[in-house]
Amino acid sequence: MSPEEFKEARQKLGLTQSELGRIIDTAPQTIRKWEMDESRSTARSVNPVAAQVMRWLLDGFRPPEWPAQ
């Protein structure tokens, strides 16, 4: 999953970086770095486990940490 795809998926789910961070137990700053253009020096590759969790979320899985609407 590319940084752009990851960001689009998060936005499609209506989650902020902080909310997604709580769901996958990751700092919002790390998510921000995963979503950065890969040419930036502080960017990081999207974690493969986080990418898989994102696919599950897109498929409808909702963990207990899901924000209340």
Side-chain angles (χ1 to χ4, degrees):
M1 182 175 276
S2 73
E4 184 176 303
E5 291 169 329
F6 192 85
K7 182 176 183 176
E8 287 174 6
R10 177 183 58 77
Q11 290 173 336
K12 182 178 181 179
L13 291 165
L15 297 172
T16 65
Q17 291 172 338
S18 294
E19 290 169 335
L20 180 58
R22 279 191 294 279
I23 290 169
I24 63 174
D25 194 28
T26 301
Q29 297 87 340
T30 300
I31 294 170
R32 195 169 301 115
K33 290 178 182 182
W34 290 342
E35 294 180 352
M36 280 184 187
D37 183 322
E38 293 176 286
S39 66
R40 297 200 42 192
S41 64
T42 56
R44 293 188 188 170
S45 296
V46 175
N47 179 296
V49 174
Q52 183 59 51
V53 170
M54 186 64 81
R55 288 183 194 98
W56 292 336
L57 294 173
L58 288 169
D59 286 342
F61 173 73
R62 297 297 181 260
E65 298 85 6
W66 191 260
Q69 298 294 323

